[in-house]
Amino acid sequence: MVPVKKEDLRKLVSQTTIETYEELTPQLIQLINETKHNETLTEAQKQDEISLHMLGYVKSCTNEILIEVLAEILGLEE
């Protein structure tokens, strides 16, 4: 679908955002759980690592959203 109105683009981006975050969330949860149970890290180090995981998650989601929306608009294939 090539959006012709801002509202159409907004819907495409919103739907892609929801799908992307849902798709990548299990990986984030796994990383956080591994970090929480890492006995070699202090509590402060664990919090730092979790913060880095969260930043990476948001960055990955943002990149994927941009790629998917542009691919849809431009008609790109896998």
Side-chain angles (χ1 to χ4, degrees), residues 59-72:
K59 180 186 173 293
S60 294
C61 288
T62 301
N63 287 347
E64 192 61 28
I65 292 162
L66 288 169
I67 291 165
E68 290 299 319
V69 169
L70 287 172
E72 179 74 24

Side-chain angles (χ1 to χ4, degrees), residues 8 20 41 43 52 56 62 66 71 73-74:
D8 295 337
T20 301
L41 300 176
E43 285 304 314
L52 288 174
T62 301
L66 288 169
I73 291 170
L74 297 173

Side-chain angles (χ1 to χ4, degrees), residues 46-62:
K46 288 178 183 181
Q47 289 305 310
D48 288 346
E49 286 291 315
I50 290 171
S51 293
L52 288 174
H53 295 324
M54 295 294 292
L55 287 171
Y57 170 73
V58 171
K59 180 186 173 293
S60 294
C61 288
T62 301

Side-chain angles (χ1 to χ4, degrees):
M1 166 189 114
V2 177
V4 293
K5 296 179 185 176
K6 278 188 177 181
E7 184 59 31
D8 295 337
L9 179 59
R10 190 171 286 112
K11 287 178 184 176
L12 176 59
V13 170
S14 294
Q15 184 60 40
T16 304
T17 299
I18 291 167
E19 292 170 2
T20 301
Y21 273 79
E22 287 177 351
E23 182 180 315
L24 296 179
T25 297
Q27 295 168 7
L28 173 64
I29 292 170
Q30 180 181 355
L31 286 171
I32 290 172
N33 284 335
E34 288 172 6
T35 301
K36 284 182 177 181
H37 295 99
N38 187 338
E39 300 296 326
T40 64
L41 300 176
T42 66
E43 285 304 314
Q45 289 171 324
K46 288 178 183 181
Q47 289 305 310
D48 288 346
E49 286 291 315
I50 290 171
S51 293
L52 288 174
H53 295 324
M54 295 294 292
L55 287 171
Y57 170 73
V58 171
K59 180 186 173 293
S60 294
C61 288
T62 301
N63 287 347
E64 192 61 28
I65 292 162
L66 288 169
I67 291 165
E68 290 299 319
V69 169
L70 287 172
E72 179 74 24
I73 291 170
L74 297 173
L76 303 176
E77 297 180 13
E78 292 294 321

